[in-house]
Amino acid sequence: MKRANPLLDKLQTILPAIAANAARAELERKVPEENIALLKSIGMHRAFQPKAYGGLEISLPEFTDCVAALAGACGGTAWAFSLLCTHSHQLAMFPKQLQDEVWGDNPDATASSSIAPFSTIEETEGGVLLSGEMGWSSGCDHAEWAIVGMRRKNAEGELVYSFGVLPRSDYEIRDDWFSVGMRSSGSKTLVIKNAFIPNHRIQAAKDMMEGKSAGFGLYPDSKIFYTPYRPYFACGFAAISLGIAERMLVAFKEKQKNRVRAYTGANVGAATPALMRLAESTHQVAAARAFLEKTWEEHAEYGERHQYPSRETLAYWRTNQAYAVKMCIAAVDRLFEAAGATSWFENSEIQRLFRDSHMTGAHAYTDYDVCAQILGRELMGLEPDPTMV
């Protein structure tokens, strides 16, 4: 039975305005302030924020339904804003001291991220000094904080993949986001020079995957925080791919209704090849949604039971989503190939959907070549390959 989703009902009322801003968002190469204000007006940024700070703590299936709907209006807005939301889930696994710093005086605060550990650190009393040019920080123009990746030595001298949290005053934003896809996500570079990050703002990624982080257990009544951080962090990528594919089905049908062949005047919309392509893509997108909904519902059930998934279950959660993204891209490609030359014009929604769709499969988490190896090793009882994140 489908969960009630009041947030999705609210979102539907503002989607036309966000869709109307899609072309401007691409030109500005970031999410327009108007879109951020609209989304915050319905409280979507509070989706995964702890209730202690005014958050909603909604279920993963409710959230991903909202992200998919938002992606149909503007993929880049969905990409950036979904990450601003999911980072709140990650922050809730840090100590209360950090959470008070982020939300105590500003409960509307959000964080962007750049979690690949391309930074350099120097140990110092009470924390580290971190420097780096941290790219791909989606939505950073609208965030008050940033989560950045690092490798820090533990007591045994081993390098441990970890996250540090910095306020906006500790970094500059380099405007270098010139991309083919997701132009409006504003995924710019954070330039950090010897920023001090105290220990209470640093957590090991492994601890966040195993219920060992400093914030674990802070919210004993919560249904979403007894869970590994990564599935929540990454859920938006597949939801966005799904939303784009679902919108492509609609856009293709709208275009085909009145489309005629340039040299003969024949009605292309009623041509058998177009009908067959539409039918197959419709089936494929429906299958992707069903597969994703089953996966996301399982995420939610584990969180509600306060049960951590096994390594095998995590492998399926990760790779199910990547396979669904692959399906969505294939469905989009099938339609774009038959959408005609005018679909290549920059003012065509269809070409934007095509570009943004392919970007959803370019993230490290949705790279199916990587995911197929991860699942294949798990199915054969082999140890995970440490080079596969």
Coordinates of all heavy atoms in Angstrom, one line a residue, residues 187-222:
S187 N 27.3 22.7 -9.5 CA 28.2 21.8 -8.8 C 29.6 22.4 -8.9 O 30.5 21.8 -9.6 CB 28.1 20.4 -9.4 OG 26.8 19.9 -9.3
K188 N 29.9 23.4 -8.2 CA 31.1 24.2 -8.3 C 32.2 23.6 -7.4 O 32.0 22.6 -6.7 CB 30.9 25.7 -8.0 CG 29.8 26.3 -9.0 CD 29.4 27.7 -8.6 CE 28.3 28.2 -9.6 NZ 27.9 29.5 -9.2
T189 N 33.4 24.3 -7.4 CA 34.5 23.8 -6.6 C 34.6 24.7 -5.3 O 34.6 25.9 -5.4 CB 35.8 23.9 -7.4 OG1 35.7 23.0 -8.5 CG2 37.0 23.5 -6.6
L190 N 34.8 24.0 -4.2 CA 35.1 24.7 -2.9 C 36.6 24.8 -2.8 O 37.3 23.8 -2.8 CB 34.5 23.9 -1.8 CG 33.1 23.4 -1.9 CD1 32.7 22.7 -0.6 CD2 32.2 24.6 -2.1
V191 N 37.1 26.0 -2.6 CA 38.6 26.2 -2.4 C 38.8 26.4 -0.9 O 38.3 27.4 -0.3 CB 39.0 27.4 -3.2 CG1 40.5 27.6 -3.0 CG2 38.7 27.2 -4.7
I192 N 39.6 25.5 -0.3 CA 39.8 25.5 1.1 C 41.3 25.6 1.4 O 42.1 24.9 0.9 CB 39.2 24.2 1.8 CG1 37.8 24.0 1.4 CG2 39.3 24.3 3.3 CD1 37.3 22.6 1.7
K193 N 41.6 26.6 2.3 CA 43.0 26.8 2.6 C 43.2 26.8 4.1 O 42.8 27.7 4.8 CB 43.5 28.1 2.0 CG 43.4 28.2 0.5 CD 43.8 29.6 -0.1 CE 43.7 29.6 -1.6 NZ 44.1 31.0 -2.1
N194 N 43.9 25.7 4.6 CA 44.2 25.6 6.0 C 43.0 25.9 6.9 O 43.2 26.7 7.9 CB 45.4 26.5 6.3 CG 46.7 26.0 5.7 OD1 47.0 24.8 5.8 ND2 47.5 26.9 5.2
A195 N 41.9 25.3 6.6 CA 40.7 25.5 7.5 C 40.8 24.6 8.7 O 41.1 23.4 8.5 CB 39.4 25.3 6.7
F196 N 40.6 25.1 9.9 CA 40.6 24.2 11.0 C 39.3 23.5 11.2 O 38.2 24.2 11.2 CB 40.9 25.1 12.3 CG 40.9 24.3 13.6 CD1 41.8 23.3 13.8 CD2 39.9 24.5 14.5 CE1 41.7 22.5 15.0 CE2 39.8 23.8 15.7 CZ 40.7 22.8 15.9
I197 N 39.4 22.2 11.3 CA 38.1 21.4 11.5 C 38.3 20.7 12.9 O 39.2 19.8 13.0 CB 37.9 20.4 10.4 CG1 37.9 21.1 9.0 CG2 36.6 19.7 10.7 CD1 37.6 20.1 7.9
P198 N 37.6 21.1 13.9 CA 37.7 20.4 15.2 C 37.2 19.0 15.2 O 36.5 18.6 14.3 CB 36.9 21.3 16.1 CG 35.9 21.9 15.2 CD 36.6 22.1 13.9
N199 N 37.7 18.2 16.1 CA 37.4 16.8 16.1 C 35.9 16.4 16.1 O 35.5 15.4 15.5 CB 38.1 16.1 17.3 CG 39.6 15.9 17.1 OD1 40.1 15.8 16.0 ND2 40.3 16.1 18.2
H200 N 35.1 17.3 16.8 CA 33.7 17.0 16.9 C 33.0 17.2 15.5 O 31.8 16.8 15.4 CB 33.0 17.8 18.0 CG 32.8 19.2 17.6 ND1 33.8 20.2 17.9 CD2 31.8 19.9 17.1 CE1 33.4 21.4 17.5 NE2 32.2 21.2 17.0
R201 N 33.7 17.8 14.6 CA 33.1 17.9 13.2 C 33.7 16.9 12.3 O 33.6 17.1 11.0 CB 33.4 19.3 12.7 CG 32.7 20.5 13.4 CD 32.8 21.7 12.7 NE 32.5 22.9 13.5 CZ 33.0 24.1 13.2 NH1 33.8 24.3 12.2 NH2 32.7 25.2 14.0
I202 N 34.3 15.9 12.8 CA 34.9 14.8 11.9 C 34.4 13.5 12.3 O 34.3 13.1 13.5 CB 36.4 14.8 12.0 CG1 37.0 16.2 11.6 CG2 37.0 13.7 11.1 CD1 38.5 16.3 11.9
Q203 N 33.9 12.7 11.3 CA 33.5 11.3 11.6 C 34.0 10.4 10.5 O 34.1 10.8 9.3 CB 31.9 11.3 11.6 CG 31.3 12.0 12.8 CD 31.6 11.2 14.1 OE1 31.1 10.1 14.3 NE2 32.3 11.9 15.0
A204 N 34.3 9.2 10.8 CA 34.7 8.2 9.9 C 33.5 7.6 9.1 O 32.5 7.4 9.6 CB 35.4 7.0 10.6
A205 N 33.7 7.5 7.8 CA 32.6 7.0 6.9 C 32.2 5.6 7.3 O 31.0 5.3 7.4 CB 33.0 7.0 5.5
K206 N 33.1 4.8 7.7 CA 32.8 3.4 8.1 C 31.9 3.4 9.3 O 31.0 2.6 9.4 CB 34.1 2.6 8.4 CG 34.0 1.1 8.6 CD 35.3 0.4 8.6 CE 35.2 -1.1 8.7 NZ 34.7 -1.5 10.0
D207 N 32.2 4.3 10.3 CA 31.4 4.3 11.5 C 29.9 4.7 11.1 O 29.0 4.2 11.7 CB 31.9 5.3 12.5 CG 33.2 4.9 13.1 OD1 33.6 3.7 13.0 OD2 33.9 5.7 13.7
M208 N 29.8 5.6 10.1 CA 28.4 6.0 9.7 C 27.7 4.8 9.0 O 26.5 4.9 8.8 CB 28.5 7.2 8.8 CG 28.9 8.5 9.5 SD 28.8 9.9 8.4 CE 28.9 11.2 9.6
M209 N 28.4 3.9 8.5 CA 27.8 2.7 7.8 C 27.5 1.6 8.8 O 26.8 0.7 8.4 CB 28.7 2.2 6.7 CG 28.9 3.1 5.5 SD 27.3 3.3 4.6 CE 27.2 1.7 3.9
E210 N 28.0 1.7 10.0 CA 27.9 0.5 10.9 C 27.3 0.9 12.3 O 27.3 0.1 13.2 CB 29.3 -0.1 11.2 CG 29.9 -0.6 9.9 CD 31.3 -1.2 10.1 OE1 31.9 -1.0 11.3 OE2 31.9 -1.8 9.2
G211 N 26.7 2.1 12.4 CA 26.1 2.5 13.6 C 27.0 2.8 14.7 O 26.7 2.5 15.9
K212 N 28.2 3.3 14.4 CA 29.2 3.5 15.4 C 29.6 5.0 15.4 O 30.6 5.4 16.2 CB 30.5 2.7 15.1 CG 30.2 1.2 15.1 CD 31.5 0.4 14.7 CE 31.2 -1.1 14.7 NZ 32.4 -1.8 14.2
S213 N 28.9 5.9 14.7 CA 29.3 7.3 14.7 C 28.8 7.9 16.0 O 28.0 7.4 16.8 CB 28.7 8.0 13.5 OG 27.2 8.0 13.6
A214 N 29.4 9.1 16.3 CA 29.1 9.8 17.5 C 27.6 10.1 17.7 O 27.1 10.3 18.9 CB 29.9 11.1 17.6
G215 N 26.9 10.3 16.6 CA 25.5 10.7 16.7 C 24.5 9.5 16.8 O 23.3 9.7 17.0
F216 N 25.1 8.3 16.7 CA 24.2 7.1 16.7 C 23.5 7.0 18.0 O 24.1 7.1 19.1 CB 25.0 5.8 16.5 CG 24.2 4.6 16.4 CD1 23.5 4.3 15.3 CD2 24.1 3.7 17.5 CE1 22.7 3.2 15.2 CE2 23.4 2.6 17.4 CZ 22.6 2.3 16.2
G217 N 22.2 6.8 18.0 CA 21.3 6.6 19.2 C 20.8 7.9 19.8 O 20.1 7.9 20.8
L218 N 21.2 9.1 19.2 CA 20.7 10.3 19.7 C 19.2 10.4 19.6 O 18.5 11.1 20.4 CB 21.3 11.5 18.9 CG 22.7 12.0 19.3 CD1 23.2 13.1 18.4 CD2 22.7 12.4 20.8
Y219 N 18.6 9.8 18.6 CA 17.1 9.9 18.4 C 16.5 8.5 18.5 O 16.2 7.9 17.4 CB 16.9 10.6 17.1 CG 17.6 11.9 16.9 CD1 18.7 12.0 16.1 CD2 17.3 13.0 17.7 CE1 19.4 13.2 16.0 CE2 18.0 14.2 17.7 CZ 19.0 14.3 16.8 OH 19.7 15.5 16.7
P220 N 16.3 8.0 19.7 CA 15.8 6.6 19.8 C 14.5 6.3 19.2 O 14.2 5.1 18.9 CB 15.8 6.4 21.3 CG 15.8 7.7 21.9 CD 16.5 8.6 21.0
D221 N 13.6 7.3 19.0 CA 12.3 7.1 18.4 C 12.3 7.3 16.9 O 11.2 7.1 16.3 CB 11.3 8.1 19.1 CG 11.1 7.8 20.6 OD1 11.2 6.6 21.0 OD2 10.9 8.8 21.3
S222 N 13.4 7.6 16.3 CA 13.4 7.9 14.9 C 13.3 6.6 14.1 O 13.8 5.6 14.5 CB 14.7 8.6 14.5 OG 14.8 8.8 13.1

